[in-house]
Every structure is written in C-alpha cells, then in structure tokens.
C-alpha cells in the first residue's frame, strides 16, 4: 500500500561569505522582527534558526494554505532554507545579512539544493536518491485522545527542526566545499601555463607580486579547508550539544555520503598538493632571481671598488712620475 507522502519541496544552501559574525546576524534578525531559536533547541550560536512565513503572491493565487519555512544560518558563512521562496532568500542573503558577512562574495554566491518531502508514517528520516524524506510521525500517537488533538496541532515539533538542522549542516558543508572547489579551479587555471613553459625550457615571465599573490592564495585555500572550518571534522561542534538519542549524527553522515563530501575533500587536497608543487616552482624561481640580482650587485660593487683602486694607483703613479721629472 502506497504511503501518503507530502508534496516535494526544496531545501537550498547558499554560501555567501567566508564567515558570519553570528552576534551581528542575531542583531539584524531581531531588528527585522524574527524570533531566534523559536523551538528552543539550545543550539544557538552554533546555528541560528528563524521561521519565515511564505506570503508569496503565487501561493495566494493558488489558494494554498499559508506555510512557514525554516532558515538556518551557520557561522561558516552558509545559509540553508527549507521551503522558502527564492525572492525572500535573495533579499535575506544578498542584502539583509550582508553586513554580518566577513569576506563576502555576493557576486559569486554558491547554491546547492535537494528536494525533500515529509512522511507522516515514518519515525526516522532518510535520503532516497536526491530526495530527503523527513519522518514526521506524530509523537502523540501513544497519547490519550484528549491530549492527542492538542499535540497534533504542533506539526513543526522540535524533533523535525533538529532533523532539519542535521541535514542542513551536511548540506552547508557541501556548499562551502563547492566554493573552495571553484576557487581552486580558478587558481589552477591561472597557473596552467607553468608546466607547459617548463616542459619546453621556457622562461617563466612572472613578477614578484604575482608569485607572492599566488602563494598567499594557496595558503588561504588550505587554511579554509583544513584549519578555519569544520569541513574536515568528522562531526561539527553543534552535534556535541544536541541530544544524542535523536541520532542527528546519522543524518549529517547521510548528506555527506549522498553528496560525496569526503571523496571531494580528498580530491581537493590532492589538487592542492599539485598546486603546492607549482607554488614551490614559483618560489624557487623568485629565490633564484633574488640570488642572481645579489650576485650582480656584488659584482657591480667589486667593479666600482676595483675602479677606484685603479684610479688611485694611476693618480699615485702620475705623482711619482711628476716628482721624478722635477
């Protein structure tokens, strides 16, 4: 017998900046009238949760009942929206939260989305293909009829919100990784001529500022991947503060497996190792140029010193000749 699943909706992750100042994010959202952590998950400031009503004209035209979407803001510079219109998120991500972003890239916002649906017959959630299936079976199933109706009215219970946070964290991680993949691809493209020039014995026509810039870019990418983010952590810090009996870590891992996050991290590190070899060649060339320049400076100084010594010798010889002639 087929189950009565809910309609397919979209969960979208946006990576807007290198990091978010969460305290600044909180001030912005409060001033806009949003209530932070409305279900009291206790996970703020590791994640900031707000509910966004869908008042879009299309929903009013279709005569659909009002709905409320969830938005989760992570310190890593990512925002994940569940069933929130694109127009609302464009304004929230591209304008409202921009002052709280550190090193933003508003012109190159990375987006990644999955479909999701709700299954009121499941206790647990899962990922099937590219679709998240949220198990929203009411916790009131075992309650008496007198209390069941009042409990059933809260369809957005805390368990569902915690599950969404777990899936959102995994999706945010993948989107953050996609930004680094794009940046590294751009870096490798800018240095793609170096192996060819070396293979034909050509001279590398790169200036000192260019070499230092490329070295700094690569160090920044490595730091973002391995030091300054939770991309390589097996479990983000927020899960240490979440109820362990909910099994949220499993949902986080599901997203990682579905989006090949660990494989992509390994590939990214391998590409960075190759980029590091290119950077080493550039630094070696810079060092050689500096050494050659120093050698020429020393040769010039020795030449000048020899010139002065020869001039002094000639002057003294002329003085001796003049003394003899006198």
């Amino acid at each position: 017998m087929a189950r009565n699943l809910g309609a397919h909706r979209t969960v979208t992750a946006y990576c807007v900046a290198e990091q978010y100042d969460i305290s600044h994010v909180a001030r912005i959202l409060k001033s806009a009238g949003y209530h932070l952590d409305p279900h009291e998950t206790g996970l703020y400031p590791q994640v900031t949760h707000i509910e966004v009503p869908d008042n879009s004209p299309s929903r009013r035209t279709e005569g659909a009942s009002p709905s409320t979407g969830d938005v989760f803001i992570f310190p890593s510079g990512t925002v994940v929206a569940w069933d929130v219109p694109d127009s609302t998120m464009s304004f929230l991500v591209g304008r409202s939260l921009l002052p709280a972003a550190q090193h933003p890239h508003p012109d190159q916002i990375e987006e990644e989305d999955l479909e999701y649906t709700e299954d009121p017959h499941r206790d647990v959630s899962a990922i099937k293909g590219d679709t998240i299936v949220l198990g929203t079976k009411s916790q009131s199933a075992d309650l008496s009829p007198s209390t069941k109706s009042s409990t059933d009215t809260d369809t957005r219970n805390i368990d569902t919100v915690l599950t969404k946070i777990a899936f959102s964290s995994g999706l945010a991680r993948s989107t953050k990784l996609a930004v680094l993949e794009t940046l590294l691809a751009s870096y490798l493209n800018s240095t793609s001529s170096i192996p060819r020039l070396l293979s034909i014995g050509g001279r590398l026509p790169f200036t000192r500022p260019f070499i230092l810039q490329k070295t700094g870019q690569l160090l920044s990418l490595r730091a973002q991947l391995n030091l300054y983010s939770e991309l390589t952590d097996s479990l983000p810090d927020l899960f240490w503060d979440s109820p362990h009996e909910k099994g949220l870590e499993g949902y986080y891992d599901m997203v990682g497996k579905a989006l090949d996050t660990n494989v992509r991290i390994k590939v990214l590190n391998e590409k960075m190792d190759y980029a590091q070899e290119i950077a080493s060649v550039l630094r070696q060339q810079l060092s050689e140029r500096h050494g050659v320049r120093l050698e020429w400076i020393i040769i010039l100084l020795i030449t000048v010193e020899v010139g002065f010594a020869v001039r002094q010798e000639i002057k003294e010889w002329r003085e001796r000749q003049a003394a003899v002639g006198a």
Side-chain angles (χ1 to χ4, degrees), residues 13-89:
Y14 307 83
C15 187
V16 186
E18 199 169 299
Q19 285 184 324
Y20 270 129
D21 181 346
I22 291 299
S23 60
H24 196 175
V25 167
R27 291 195 297 270
I28 292 172
L29 295 176
K30 286 179 180 178
S31 66
Y34 291 107
H35 179 51
L36 305 185
D37 197 16
H39 292 270
E40 298 181 354
T41 62
L43 296 180
Y44 176 85
Q46 282 104 336
V47 57
T48 304
H49 174 213
I50 61 172
E51 294 178 337
V52 180
D54 183 1
N55 298 317
S56 61
S58 60
R59 182 170 289 273
R60 292 197 298 267
T61 301
E62 294 168 359
S65 58
S67 67
T68 302
D70 293 288
V71 175
F72 303 99
I73 300 102
F74 294 88
S76 61
T78 51
V79 180
V80 181
W82 293 71
D83 196 28
V84 179
D86 290 339
S87 57
T88 301
M89 289 308 302

Side-chain angles (χ1 to χ4, degrees), residues 256-267:
K257 291 177 181 177
L259 300 177
D260 296 323
T261 304
N262 289 332
V263 174
R264 290 161 59 197
I265 289 175
K266 180 181 178 181
V267 171

Side-chain angles (χ1 to χ4, degrees), residues 124-127 162-163 166-167 170 234-236 239 242-258:
V124 296
S125 302
I127 294 182
L162 287 172
T163 300
F167 281 124
S234 59
L235 199 64
F239 290 104
S242 64
H244 293 287
E245 65 273 8
K246 304 298 182 183
L248 302 182
E249 301 91 337
Y251 298 144
Y252 174 80
D253 290 336
M254 284 182 193
V255 179
K257 291 177 181 177

Side-chain angles (χ1 to χ4, degrees), residues 11 33 39 56 59 69 76 109 138 164 166 187 204 218 228 233 239 243 258 275 282 301-302 315:
V11 50
H39 292 270
S56 61
R59 182 170 289 273
S76 61
I109 297 177
S138 175
K164 286 184 175 181
Y187 177 93
L204 298 180
L218 183 59
Y228 304 147
D233 291 348
F239 290 104
L282 291 176
L301 290 175
I302 292 175
K315 181 180 179 182

Side-chain angles (χ1 to χ4, degrees), residues 175-192:
T175 309
K176 185 73 174 181
L177 183 60
V179 172
L180 297 184
E181 288 171 336
T182 301
L183 291 174
L184 183 58
S186 176
Y187 177 93
L188 293 175
N189 184 61
S190 67
T191 59
S192 60

Side-chain angles (χ1 to χ4, degrees), residues 41-240:
T41 62
L43 296 180
Y44 176 85
Q46 282 104 336
V47 57
T48 304
H49 174 213
I50 61 172
E51 294 178 337
V52 180
D54 183 1
N55 298 317
S56 61
S58 60
R59 182 170 289 273
R60 292 197 298 267
T61 301
E62 294 168 359
S65 58
S67 67
T68 302
D70 293 288
V71 175
F72 303 99
I73 300 102
F74 294 88
S76 61
T78 51
V79 180
V80 181
W82 293 71
D83 196 28
V84 179
D86 290 339
S87 57
T88 301
M89 289 308 302
S90 294
F91 182 80
L92 183 66
V93 168
R95 294 185 59 182
S96 298
L97 296 178
L98 205 55
Q102 299 176 359
H103 307 292
H105 40 85
D107 297 330
Q108 296 179 335
I109 297 177
E110 190 73 35
E111 296 184 23
E112 196 164 354
D113 56 59
L114 293 172
E115 287 189 338
Y116 81 95
T117 186
E118 297 181 357
D119 186 348
H121 303 285
R122 293 176 63 101
D123 292 300
V124 296
S125 302
I127 294 182
K128 296 183 178 180
D130 293 332
T131 302
I132 298 173
V133 180
L134 290 175
T136 58
K137 184 176 181 180
S138 175
Q139 291 184 326
S140 62
D142 298 327
L143 299 178
S144 63
S146 60
T147 58
K148 180 184 292 188
S149 59
S150 61
T151 306
D152 281 341
T153 58
D154 184 16
T155 57
R156 296 169 48 76
N157 57 67
I158 189 171
D159 286 347
T160 302
V161 172
L162 287 172
T163 300
K164 286 184 175 181
I165 289 175
F167 281 124
S168 296
S169 181
L171 188 55
R173 181 192 188 200
S174 176
T175 309
K176 185 73 174 181
L177 183 60
V179 172
L180 297 184
E181 288 171 336
T182 301
L183 291 174
L184 183 58
S186 176
Y187 177 93
L188 293 175
N189 184 61
S190 67
T191 59
S192 60
S193 62
I194 295 176
R196 181 178 57 82
L197 289 173
L198 291 174
S199 67
I200 62 176
R203 181 176 178 273
L204 298 180
F206 301 117
T207 62
R208 178 184 176 86
F210 175 86
I211 295 174
L212 294 177
Q213 180 190 37
K214 291 304 170 184
T215 302
Q217 287 177 354
L218 183 59
L219 290 174
S220 176
L221 285 172
R222 275 201 177 277
Q224 289 184 63
L225 177 62
N226 297 300
L227 298 179
Y228 304 147
S229 70
E230 296 181 336
L231 283 173
T232 55
D233 291 348
S234 59
L235 199 64
D237 292 341
L238 73 88
F239 290 104
W240 295 104

